[in-house]
Amino acid sequence: GLVSWLLPPDLAVRLALLLAALGTAALSACSPAAPVGIASEVPGTTWSLERIVTADGEVVRAEPAEISFGPEGSLSVQSCNACSGRYAARDSLLTIDGPLACTKKACPNGTLQLERHVMGTSVMRREGLYLTILPADSTVDQLLFVPTQ
């Protein structure tokens, strides 16, 4: 084209490459930013409850329980009962608004019912391997999860 006619061939190629790179950079600057932080790490993951820290600081080894975050906002909570519902994650906040659809087992007194602790809005954070959920309205202070294998 006109550029190759006015410039030496090696300079025309470098100029064409530079213009292509600038166009790509300009287009990528216009695209929306990907989610960052813990909210971007949660979708599509399943976590196994390992420890509970009670409000008075006691650390308790957890009964078997899992929480699964689907990629499109679906939620599954498995403890004494099995529950499903929806969640939203933004920055470090996890919001699980009811109602959750749960089985209705007669759970013995003292049996963990994880769904009761994660309802509402909680703070999430990653601490190494752990996903820590800090429930706002619960008798526990922290729920520590590890990824399932």
Side-chain angles (χ1 to χ4, degrees), residues 66 75-85 100-105 107 115:
E66 282 187 356
L75 173 78
S76 171
V77 178
Q78 305 282 331
S79 55
C80 176
N81 283 298
C83 302
S84 62
L100 293 178
C102 297
T103 58
K104 304 279 189 210
K105 289 184 184 177
C107 302
E115 65 278 6

Side-chain angles (χ1 to χ4, degrees), residues 20-87:
L22 288 174
T24 301
L27 286 176
S28 66
C30 295
S31 61
V36 294
I38 186 67
S40 67
E41 297 177 36
V42 167
T45 62
T46 299
W47 300 85
S48 182
L49 183 62
E50 184 171 281
R51 293 189 306 238
I52 299 169
V53 180
T54 63
D56 62 3
E58 180 184 359
V59 177
V60 179
R61 179 95 178 136
E63 299 170 25
E66 282 187 356
I67 189 166
S68 297
F69 301 98
E72 300 297 324
S74 62
L75 173 78
S76 171
V77 178
Q78 305 282 331
S79 55
C80 176
N81 283 298
C83 302
S84 62
R86 308 284 303 158
Y87 77 94

Side-chain angles (χ1 to χ4, degrees), residues 2 67 146:
L2 182 60
I67 189 166
V146 293

Side-chain angles (χ1 to χ4, degrees), residues 67 75 77 94-97 100 113-122 133 135 137-138 143 145:
I67 189 166
L75 173 78
V77 178
L94 169 66
T95 303
I96 301 172
D97 289 327
L100 293 178
Q113 294 180 53
L114 183 58
E115 65 278 6
R116 293 184 178 183
H117 297 293
V118 296
M119 286 297 297
T121 300
S122 304
I133 296 179
D137 300 320
S138 176
L143 301 165
F145 296 84

